[in-house]
Amino acid sequence: MQFKTIIEPFRIKTVEPIRQTTREERAELLEKTGYNPFLLPAEDVIIDLLTDSGTGAMSSAQWAGMMLGDESYAGAKSFYKFEAAVRRITNFRHVIPTHQGRAAERILFGSLLQPGDVVPNNTHFDTTRANVEYRHATALDIPNPDAHDPALVRPFKGNIDLAALEQTLIDHAGHAPLAMITVTNNSGGGQPVSMANIRAASEICRRHGALFFLDACRFAENAWFIKTREESYAGKTPLEIAQEMFSYADGCTMSAKKDGMANIGGFLALNDDALAEKCRNLLILTEGFPTYGGLAGYDLEAIAVGLEEVLHEDYLQYRTRSVAYLGDILTANGVPIVRPTGGHAIYIDALSMLPHIPQSQYPAWALSLALYLEGGIRSVEIGSVMFGHQPDGSEKPAAMELVRMAFPRRVYTQSHVDYLAEVILYVNSIKDQIRGVRIVEAPEVLRHFSARMEPMGVVLPLPG
Ligand code: F0G
């Protein structure tokens, strides 16, 4: 008998209590924190879907591995274990540990980009974009056209637009030292990229003398979607698929806080010797010696084990299935989400759910406030608060207004997901009462992290 319920492929050994809050408390907390979910104390959140980054539960093997951490400043045993784990998957010659993904980005771009350069990417994540722009270079998003239609069901909506990639490399010849593909495409709805697309992008870059890098944060989830959605990959293991993905690239940046299954860490890995040398010199300046890069030996151990566990098929199946489970309930009940569901998150299409709120009043931000107020759910806006402010100071509405609910790895169970579904369906039933928000004060760069907002009218009236 083939049973269809997909159970969490783990037992729980350590538990962490969740503090319940009332709606009144949450209303007060929102006001106190400037209506910015980033500024809420985590203790006051019931289900925290702000991010899947560094929020996962480690396995007993990872905790055991941490006890083996070699804390030597140089040449620690833990580094060589970490290096071997990264090489087994990526096969890149140089493996440079960093404290997290954005440090790898800063070091790579700091070594490679000149003012006026252009970096094409299917879609830059916010820190990636900020690190490109910090070098006075342009971060160009060129997702394939299907990516702009949240409701359209296609297997690989994360694909880069290959024609646009080639045109960009021609138009900016000599000023486009690298192109990137983000797997999965986080800011574009967590959508995967096909092997065919990675292979073709790599060929285009090679032809035009540009380096080709993967932003590999969620490489294992991407490998799983290739296995389950792309012809001729069903019989391959996630490891074999990941190895092939990396074989087309000249290097990668990685946040081990995602598919490294660790609470902190990252790396930059690449083949070019001279570039690696330059990156290592920058690394020493701010991160640390090249065999620890700002991490403790025990962190390197946890990542080495995590990189192995993340490619287990039962884990990847459970992970993508729990996201799809919530997605299916929402879709069946008319809540517009980015479809098909990706690997790490559900993205509600706030523009379509709240047509009465114009983009200038940040509908996705307003929806994330309503989810917190009604059910204590913390999510994140991926829309015009995050991406609307341009480097020249102007405002440009984002391509989509999404509320992302990202699932920490191995943390929540199916009953948590059922609770989420109940809250979201309730908020959907009273959506006409949700009002927009305006920005009261915000910094120039990465403003969503610390902006203070104000609801335009009451967020949601008290029931009754
Ligand atoms: N690239 C992508 C695609 C990411 O999703 C992130 C982080 C980074 C780079 C930077 O890595 O956080 O280790 O410095 N994303 C988290 C998120 C923060 O919530 O999606 P980091």
Side-chain angles (χ1 to χ4, degrees):
M1 179 67 190
Q2 192 70 41
F3 296 109
K4 66 178 193 323
T5 307
I6 301 205
I7 60 165
E8 288 84 9
F10 47 79
R11 297 188 294 180
I12 296 167
K13 191 175 324 230
T14 309
V15 297
E16 198 182 351
I18 294 176
R19 193 176 88 81
Q20 294 294 330
T21 48
T22 63
R23 190 180 188 277
E24 287 70 23
E25 277 178 272
R26 295 193 292 269
E28 220 169 275
L29 280 156
L30 281 177
E31 195 186 340
K32 226 166 63 190
T33 54
Y35 296 92
N36 184 339
F38 277 102
L39 305 180
L40 286 168
E43 215 198 352
D44 299 322
V45 175
I46 296 176
I47 307 273
D48 203 344
L49 306 183
L50 183 68
T51 179
D52 63 323
S53 179
T55 51
M58 290 209 297
S59 66
S60 46
Q62 284 178 293
W63 283 110
M66 286 180 80
M67 292 304 292
L68 303 173
D70 174 354
E71 304 304 339
S72 306
Y73 188 94
K77 252 193 326 221
S78 304
F79 169 73
Y80 296 110
K81 231 185 261 180
F82 166 85
E83 186 187 45
V86 175
R87 274 222 190 104
R88 169 174 172 262
I89 300 166
T90 69
N91 201 30
F92 292 129
R93 220 172 8 250
H94 303 279
V95 178
I96 302 172
T98 59
H99 81 276
Q100 59 183 84
R102 68 198 68 183
E105 292 163 4
R106 192 190 64 79
I107 286 163
L108 176 66
F109 300 150
S111 307
L112 200 56
L113 295 184
Q114 298 301 324
D117 282 350
V118 173
V119 182
N121 193 325
N122 48 351
T123 309
H124 291 80
F125 183 65
D126 61 354
T127 60
T128 323
R129 167 172 292 279
N131 271 299
V132 169
E133 289 172 354
Y134 189 68
R135 298 292 299 165
H136 302 285
T138 302
L140 187 69
D141 290 343
I142 45 168
N144 76 94
D146 289 349
H148 299 302
D149 182 351
L152 184 73
V153 178
R154 291 278 184 280
F156 292 107
K157 284 166 78 179
N159 284 355
I160 198 167
D161 182 333
L162 294 168
L165 173 63
E166 180 137 40
Q167 198 55 53
T168 304
L169 297 182
I170 292 168
D171 292 348
H172 299 274
H175 299 282
L178 90 157
M180 296 184 82
I181 286 187
T182 305
V183 291
T184 56
N185 184 7
N186 185 15
S187 305
Q191 297 294 313
V193 181
S194 72
M195 192 72 88
N197 191 253
I198 293 173
R199 193 184 306 123
S202 161
E203 275 162 20
I204 291 170
C205 289
R206 209 139 292 168
R207 213 168 332 116
H208 293 278
L211 293 173
F212 175 56
F213 271 62
L214 291 178
D215 176 337
C217 293
R218 300 176 181 84
F219 74 94
E221 290 167 10
N222 200 80
W224 182 254
F225 286 119
I226 288 176
K227 181 179 170 69
T228 51
R229 294 182 185 174
E230 191 163 351
E231 213 182 324
S232 82
Y233 285 92
K236 298 220 154 99
T237 65
L239 173 64
E240 287 166 339
I241 294 169
Q243 287 168 333
E244 183 179 339
M245 282 163 48
F246 286 109
S247 75
Y248 299 121
D250 298 296
C252 72
T253 54
M254 170 75 186
S255 168
K257 301 172 73 172
K258 284 86 170 176
D259 277 351
M261 303 283 251
N263 298 126
I264 195 70
F267 55 85
L268 170 64
L270 69 168
N271 283 331
D272 187 284
D273 297 333
L275 180 59
E277 191 57 34
K278 242 174 132 176
C279 291
R280 282 203 181 94
N281 288 336
L282 258 187
L283 182 86
I284 294 173
L285 207 60
T286 54
E287 291 281 301
F289 191 74
T291 59
Y292 74 88
L295 295 172
Y298 53 69
D299 294 324
L300 296 167
E301 295 277 347
I303 297 167
V305 177
L307 285 172
E308 198 272 321
E309 290 180 351
V310 77
L311 289 163
H312 291 185
E313 295 202 9
D314 58 355
Y315 161 73
L316 285 167
Q317 187 180 33
Y318 137 80
R319 171 119 179 111
T320 50
R321 182 63 204 128
S322 30
V323 174
Y325 171 78
L326 179 57
D328 291 347
I329 297 175
L330 298 183
T331 302
N333 287 280
V335 178
I337 60 167
V338 175
R339 299 181 65 208
T341 49
H344 71 295
I346 290 285
Y347 296 69
I348 301 179
D349 176 4
L351 211 49
S352 145
M353 180 171 164
L354 307 170
H356 59 286
I357 304 180
Q359 274 190 283
S360 58
Q361 294 177 16
Y362 309 115
W365 194 280
L367 177 57
S368 80
L369 298 182
L371 289 171
Y372 177 71
L373 180 67
E374 296 303 336
I377 298 168
R378 177 152 67 173
S379 55
V380 68
E381 186 248 27
I382 299 196
S384 294
V385 179
M386 187 180 273
F387 289 122
H389 190 73
Q390 306 303 306
D392 65 4
S394 65
E395 289 288 321
K396 185 174 140 214
M400 294 189 275
E401 301 292 339
L402 305 175
V403 170
R404 185 188 75 173
M405 294 177 294
F407 285 51
R409 290 170 182 74
R410 303 187 290 206
V411 168
Y412 293 118
T413 63
Q414 180 156 347
S415 60
H416 292 113
V417 179
D418 286 333
Y419 172 80
L420 289 171
E422 204 183 334
V423 173
I424 299 163
L425 295 187
Y426 171 69
V427 168
N428 189 49
S429 73
I430 54 165
K431 64 184 179 180
D432 295 346
Q433 299 171 41
I434 300 176
R435 296 285 167 266
V437 292
R438 72 169 148 257
I439 297 176
V440 180
E441 59 178 85
E444 279 295 303
V445 184
L446 296 174
R447 65 181 177 184
H448 49 290
F449 288 127
S450 55
R452 295 191 83 82
M453 314 290 284
E454 201 170 67
M456 322 228 344
V458 278
V459 181
L460 277 175
L462 282 168

